[in-house]
């Protein structure tokens, strides 16, 4: 099954590695999010904002 949630541990190459049940909201019920350090996430966010700012300007 196709999966676009890159933060889910079951996502590999945009495919779900399980056979998930889809809830009434349309999302996978088996999703488990990757646990990342806050400092690392903040760094990635800052880098992404720089990229977006460069594209806008």
């Amino acid at each position: 099954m196709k999966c676009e949630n890159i933060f889910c541990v079951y996502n590999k190459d945009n495919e779900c590695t399980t056979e998930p049940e889809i809830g009434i909201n349309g999302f996978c019920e088996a999703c488990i999010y990757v646990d990342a350090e806050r400092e690392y996430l903040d760094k990635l966010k800052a880098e992404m904002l720089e990229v977006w700012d460069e594209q806008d300007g």
Side-chain angles (χ1 to χ4, degrees):
M1 176 176 183
K2 185 171 174 73
C3 176
E4 295 182 10
N5 186 352
I6 61 171
F7 299 104
C8 181
V9 297
Y10 296 119
N11 178 316
K12 182 174 182 182
D13 299 325
N14 291 328
E15 294 287 330
C16 184
T17 59
T18 68
E19 293 185 24
E21 291 188 34
I22 306 300
I24 60 172
N25 60 2
F27 297 107
C28 172
E29 297 288 330
C31 180
I32 299 173
Y33 287 94
V34 173
D35 187 19
E37 296 289 328
R38 172 63 78 183
E39 289 178 10
Y40 181 66
L41 285 175
D42 290 343
K43 179 180 180 279
L44 290 176
K45 288 177 187 180
E47 289 174 1
M48 181 58 82
L49 285 173
E50 285 181 31
V51 169
W52 281 95
D53 288 343
E54 289 174 6
Q55 291 177 359
D56 286 341

